[in-house]
Amino acid sequence: MTNFIWLAIAFPLVGVVVNGIFGRKLGRAANGWIAVGTVAAAFVVGVLSFLQVPSLPEHAQIVPLWRWITIGDFEVYLSLLVDPLSMLMTLVVTGVGLLIHIYAIGYMDHDKDVARFFTYLNLFIASMLILVLSDNFLGLYVGWELVGACSYLLIGFWFYKDSAADAGKKAFIVNRVGDFGFALGVFLIWTTFGTLQYTNVFEAAGDKPVAVITAITALLFVGAIGKSAQLPLYVWLPDAMEGPTPVSALIHAATMVTAGVYMIARSNVLYALAPQTSTIVAVVGGVTALFAATIALVQFDLKRVMAYSTISQLGYMVMAVGVGAYASGIFHLVTHAFFKALLFMAAGSVMHAAHDVIDMRRLGGLKAKMPITYWTFVVGGLALAGFPLTAGFFSKDEILAKTFEANIWLYAIGVFTALLTAFYTFRAIFMTFHGKPKDAEVYEHIHENKPVMTVPLVILAGLSIFGGLLGLPGGLGLPNWLDGWLEPVFELKNMFVPAEAVHTGVGTEVGLMALSSTLVILGIVAAWWVYLRKPQIAEKTAQSFAAGYKLLANKYYVDEIYDALFVNPARGLGVFFAKVVDMGVIDMVLVDGTAKSVGYFGRVMSRWQTGYIRNYVVSIFVGAIVIGAYFFLR
């Protein structure tokens, strides 16, 4: 079946063609189920190929399709890579993507342009599959750019709203900054290795100068900073909430934002040979995790709380791959896909039932009216917080343990961020679902949503609980299936960089788990005390620390700083070129001036065309005198 892995990409593209061309004639119900059916077919292909990976030679197979580019000695084949990492990512993209597609049928049931929506959604899935299945950096880059284009289309889906149109443009432009660095990295790979094929590049990497590998990995990481929303290019992701909730779930959970983490894990050989870059990666990830968590503490838009949570959790993943714990980063990527898709879709369920109200200050008391949404949100919140025995607990604690081995300061940042995560997550739960209704008009219309929206929530809740079984702590003698599964992908890295001799013992690992669990429980209890038992504490704290509260509420004024440093000068430069250069110089001087000069010259010359023979005779006579004088006097 692995020879037919290309069908995983082809099926969603069929949905793109059918809904894109015939969608409006087929009807709303058909649009949704065609999109769902094609993604389901891709998921089946992924599962069958996944099951065959252990029987492949060296657990990997390249599936060539056709020669793509030939320019002199430069050849690139369009071929796909079937190995443990690509298949795991394929299941995450198609599996979680399938549940989001099903949910979207209910969520978008009143939208007038469903065909266009599902066309974009299918294209997004196909683009992400191109990214994770390609066996070379050029194919990775193509998928990378395609998911960026799809994010622009989906975030700005309601383009008639200025906020949505602006958010789509912001996502596209900010990502272009990172993608420029990524493209330079791909160019440098070609000039260094003479090939873009993963296998050839990784096998030859050990013979190249460290400075060159460091430059390549740094440039590639610039792209990851944009796609995976790390400091300083994270600013597009909170504004992506302007798109429909299924888009938020797809971008934040299973597709676009995970691309940077996947790319670093896929390029693990290069990053293992560039310790300076890896250190930068780890520090950026740790600082981003803490930075975003502090902002989430004071947000009131439920989806924006989840957005900053995504940035923070991506920081954990980036920190993990930065310290060399590639399997741990991928593990958290998988569990995060489960619980973050769940949380976004549950938030969307609230928004859908409350007629687009998502401000937690207008909600409250929804627990009784939306029991399925409530309990699934709680499960997702527990997993996000890293509550013991949930999926998020196992993956986050594995990252913290690996970080503890590598750098105690990064570990401190990670474990403190875990405390903040638990607090802001349950702050959102208590403000939204507990207490008394804050807006009677909104509360009156609240109701649980259709099964097409709630069933995916239940499935994801189950995965958020039991997904941790994929990677039980190996240090405690428990089976870590995921580490074993991904070992063939990361074993080449170990050939060049020996494994660390010192690892945490059983006692230390248990102590680290106990510490993080205690902080998580403390954060949950603190949120309960502040927002249910003593709500006046939050108000008094905001008043007592007004400057700090305002700083967090305004997101450290990063957008305002970017406006002052980049946006406004660029806009001013654009106005200058438009009004002064274009209209003043090009239009008035070059274009209009040239036309006026020709007209003036024509009018002058026309005075010589009088039609009188005597004038022409005089002109000839004068001309003859001038020519004669020239030859006589020279």
Side-chain angles (χ1 to χ4, degrees), residues 437-600:
K438 303 178 186 69
D439 189 320
E441 184 178 351
V442 171
Y443 183 78
E444 182 181 351
H445 296 93
I446 292 289
H447 58 83
E448 189 60 273
N449 286 296
K450 304 173 184 177
V452 73
M453 293 178 66
T454 56
V455 169
L457 300 183
V458 174
I459 295 173
L460 287 169
L463 292 172
S464 298
I465 295 174
F466 299 109
L469 298 176
L470 295 173
L472 297 175
L476 302 182
L478 299 174
N480 193 319
W481 173 85
L482 193 64
D483 270 1
W485 176 261
L486 293 174
E487 185 177 359
V489 179
F490 302 131
E491 64 182 357
L492 188 60
K493 175 261 299 186
N494 296 326
M495 294 172 58
F496 296 120
V497 182
E500 294 292 335
V502 179
H503 295 285
T504 55
V506 174
T508 304
E509 188 157 350
V510 171
L512 295 176
M513 294 173 69
L515 174 60
S516 64
S517 298
T518 301
L519 290 176
V520 166
I521 294 171
L522 180 62
I524 295 173
V525 172
W528 170 79
W529 183 260
V530 171
Y531 290 96
L532 288 186
R533 296 288 294 172
K534 302 288 184 179
Q536 65 271 21
I537 293 178
E539 298 177 6
K540 291 181 179 179
T541 303
Q543 294 172 358
S544 301
F545 301 94
Y549 180 85
K550 187 177 181 181
L551 182 66
L552 296 180
N554 287 281
K555 301 157 287 187
Y556 294 98
Y557 297 98
V558 173
D559 281 298
E560 288 78 3
I561 293 171
Y562 284 180
D563 282 346
L565 293 180
F566 304 110
V567 178
N568 292 335
R571 184 181 290 114
L573 187 63
V575 170
F576 170 78
F577 276 108
K579 292 187 176 180
V580 177
V581 178
D582 189 17
M583 298 176 64
V585 177
I586 296 176
D587 279 358
M588 294 184 65
V589 176
L590 297 181
V591 179
D592 293 345
T594 301
K596 290 178 179 178
S597 299
V598 171
Y600 175 77

Side-chain angles (χ1 to χ4, degrees), residues 8 39-40 42-44 46 89-99 125 129:
V39 177
F43 177 68
V44 171
M89 291 296 297
T90 296
L91 292 190
V92 170
V93 172
T94 56
V96 177
L98 173 61
L99 294 174
I125 294 290
L129 289 173

Side-chain angles (χ1 to χ4, degrees), residues 127-151:
S127 301
M128 190 65 190
L129 289 173
I130 291 172
L131 190 155
V132 301
L133 286 172
S134 293
D135 78 326
N136 60 79
F137 282 98
L138 187 57
L140 171 67
Y141 181 75
V142 170
W144 192 276
E145 293 298 336
L146 283 173
V147 295
C150 291
S151 70

Side-chain angles (χ1 to χ4, degrees), residues 236-254:
W236 66 269
L237 194 143
D239 289 359
M241 297 302 98
E242 290 295 335
T245 295
V247 173
S248 304
L250 197 59
I251 290 177
H252 289 232

